[in-house]
Amino acid sequence: MWSPNARDLGGLPTRYGVATRERAVFRSESPDDLDSAGRSALDSVGAGLVLDVRSDRELTRPHPLDGTPAYRRIPWIDPVADESRNPAAESRLVDVYSNGLSRNSAHIGKIFRAVADAPADRPVVVHCQAGKDRTGQLAALLLELVGVPRDVIAEDYAISEVLLGLQDGPERSRTRPETILGSLDHLDSRLGGIRAYLSGLGLSQLQIHRLAARLVPVGVRAVVFDFDGLLMDTESTSVQSWQAEWAHHGLELDLEDFWPGHGGDTSETRYALLAAAVGAGFDREASHARRMAHRERMHSELDFRPGILDWVTTAREFGLRVGIASSSPSPWVRGHLERVGAIDLFDLIVTGDEVSTHKPDPAIYELALRRLGVPGAEAIAVEDTAHGVAAAQLAGMFAVAIPNPYVTPAAVSAADLVLSSADQLLLSELLLSAASKGSTSVTE
């Protein structure tokens, strides 16, 4: 590295099962006193942003990179807000850190927006004077965002005093683990956690995602949704229409044998079961008309399942391709989407009348991927049944299961991620989770 306290934030474990990306974010002390070798080492990083968070009073000479496209200075400390600071109320360094998160929020917001908007394919270098306090907080917040364990965050923070030879110095010059841990506890207890804090600073969901994606590689280019039971709960309207029709004949429907939970049209099989239960005099046409009229009344108020629309719109905002792969026929899927004015939200709609086999055969997902021009390894499938999960995984996709009300979480446990609802997880978190291609369940 170019100086004693400079280091890469790469190679640290995250909650997503992958290590932080190397040569993405560097932290450092001021490069003011670099020799020629140090300056060459800094230049070799090829930073897209060198962010100086020092205050005006600390600048005793021009920055070595002043005037270059990469250099930018945004003070961490807000001088106007700092005038109201009561030093007597901040006897410990952790108090300065914790209170400063709110007091300096206008400047900290600018800093994080600068990092989020920096060129994604080039490193970011952040420094203050010694590279331990303000830089240490910024680094800790970035690592907190991607779920680096807090003991690891504290270790990265604490090493600064060793690298700078401050172990025997005044207390305020040291970087004790409890200082940064206390600041992160304050972030949770008083500021709502890291994502709420960044959002409160004025960062958009896209900017927060870019911050996380700088440290955790995201290879997802497309998200493909099942339709029935997933985008819209047409499974419940189907079940309830059959239950009503059986009740019309004074019968009770046993769903265990009647509802296999897979795609494809099984209506004739179900009418045959009803006919056998009713006996002589069963009018199939009248039964069908009555059942469909009941179901259409329910469909008039049917909308997206909770959280799904937010996933769709966020995926589009993030620049991802968004598709549907449904075993149902095209008029059915498109008709529902047109009814709620959502058909233009999808780049691709592939339906069961375009393939010869149904899920768990992967044909429909393979067709969707070909048309999207995206390999399975770079796509997420969102499903509600075990057959759908199997089809997606056979196509090489990361499979997320959000079981419909007639599918148990255990039935879809083979999925890479099992959720109880889409509003349980931000799409950004989902995209980061897919980096591991692991199996995780966060079902409540």
Side-chain angles (χ1 to χ4, degrees):
M1 284 295 173
W2 54 89
S3 55
N5 199 28
R7 55 192 180 275
D8 189 343
L9 292 184
L12 304 179
T14 73
R15 66 167 165 266
Y16 302 110
V18 295
T20 52
R21 194 198 307 264
E22 295 184 351
R23 297 185 63 82
V25 179
F26 293 87
R27 54 173 297 179
S28 175
E29 69 268 49
S30 168
D32 284 348
D33 297 319
L34 292 181
D35 57 20
S36 58
R39 176 59 189 270
S40 295
L42 176 57
D43 290 344
S44 70
V45 168
L49 173 67
V50 177
L51 187 56
D52 181 351
V53 300
R54 293 178 297 174
S55 299
D56 293 351
R57 57 182 172 77
E58 296 175 90
L59 304 182
T60 59
R61 52 187 146 166
H63 193 282
L65 299 179
D66 195 11
T68 64
Y71 176 69
R72 187 172 178 188
R73 186 171 72 89
I74 307 174
W76 181 273
I77 297 173
D78 182 340
V80 176
D82 200 51
E83 291 178 1
S84 63
R85 175 175 168 249
N86 179 11
E90 297 178 347
S91 59
R92 303 173 302 161
L93 188 56
V94 65
D95 299 323
V96 178
Y97 282 13
S98 298
N99 294 342
L101 289 173
S102 298
R103 182 172 56 242
N104 300 312
S105 60
H107 282 226
I108 296 173
K110 293 178 183 177
I111 287 169
F112 278 107
R113 283 193 291 275
V115 176
D117 296 337
D121 59 346
R122 298 176 64 188
V124 168
V125 175
V126 181
H127 77 82
C128 52
Q129 189 63 35
K132 62 184 182 67
D133 293 308
R134 290 156 293 182
T135 298
Q137 280 189 279
L138 195 157
L141 292 173
L142 284 175
L143 296 176
E144 172 75 5
L145 178 62
V146 297
V148 172
R150 287 193 174 176
D151 61 329
V152 178
I153 295 176
E155 182 180 354
D156 173 73
Y157 169 80
I159 196 66
S160 285
E161 69 175 41
V162 177
L163 297 175
L164 294 170
L166 300 173
Q167 304 97 306
D168 299 322
E171 189 64 27
R172 285 287 183 112
S173 71
R174 301 192 62 183
T175 53
R176 294 186 179 275
E178 55 265 29
T179 300
I180 200 65
L181 291 174
S183 177
L184 293 174
D185 287 343
H186 176 86
L187 181 77
D188 283 343
S189 63
R190 302 297 295 274
L191 301 175
I194 182 61
R195 284 184 175 269
Y197 177 65
L198 293 173
S199 181
L201 295 179
L203 274 75
S204 68
Q205 288 302 310
L206 177 58
Q207 288 174 317
I208 296 172
H209 179 66
R210 285 175 177 166
L211 286 175
R214 178 169 290 279
L215 283 170
V216 174
V218 176
V220 177
R221 295 168 52 200
V223 183
V224 183
F225 297 87
D226 178 45
F227 182 76
D228 288 295
L230 188 281
L231 277 180
M232 294 184 181
D233 191 9
T234 54
E235 298 291 356
S236 288
T237 64
S238 182
V239 169
Q240 290 164 21
S241 71
W242 282 108
Q243 288 174 322
E245 186 56 22
W246 279 63
H248 174 80
H249 296 283
L251 302 170
E252 184 176 350
L253 175 61
D254 183 354
L255 289 177
E256 185 172 347
D257 295 326
F258 188 81
W259 204 256
H262 59 74
D265 188 356
T266 58
S267 295
E268 291 309 315
T269 300
R270 290 167 177 168
Y271 277 121
L273 290 172
L274 177 58
V278 173
F282 176 71
D283 187 333
R284 194 263 190 216
E285 291 186 6
S287 177
H288 178 71
R290 188 167 45 245
R291 187 179 72 84
M292 294 307 295
H294 179 70
R295 193 178 187 194
E296 284 307 306
R297 287 193 293 272
M298 290 187 285
H299 283 167
S300 66
E301 298 180 355
L302 190 65
D303 209 332
F304 289 99
R305 286 183 70 188
I308 288 290
L309 184 57
D310 183 66
W311 276 15
V312 172
T313 56
T314 301
R316 293 182 65 85
E317 181 188 357
F318 287 6
L320 304 178
R321 305 295 304 281
V322 184
I324 291 175
S326 170
S327 294
S328 295
S330 179
W332 170 263
V333 175
R334 292 179 180 274
H336 279 291
L337 294 174
E338 288 170 350
R339 176 176 53 79
V340 297
I343 197 163
D344 291 338
L345 293 178
F346 298 91
D347 299 302
L348 174 77
I349 299 173
V350 178
T351 52
D353 41 14
E354 299 182 76
V355 293
S356 59
T357 55
H358 293 297
K359 303 169 185 176
D361 189 283
I364 197 163
Y365 276 117
E366 291 170 345
L367 177 58
L369 292 169
R370 284 197 301 274
R371 290 183 179 174
L372 288 170
V374 175
E378 297 178 10
I380 291 174
V382 190
E383 276 284 352
D384 67 316
T385 67
H387 283 78
V389 167
Q393 290 177 327
L394 286 170
M397 304 170 77
F398 184 92
V400 180
I402 307 175
N404 69 61
Y406 302 96
V407 172
T408 66
V412 292
S413 60
D416 297 290
L417 182 68
V418 181
L419 302 172
S420 60
S421 173
D423 58 10
Q424 187 184 350
L425 193 69
L426 293 172
L427 183 74
S428 175
E429 292 272 20
L430 171 59
L431 298 176
L432 295 165
S433 297
S436 69
K437 298 291 182 183
S439 180
T440 306
S441 177
V442 293
T443 304
E444 294 179 340

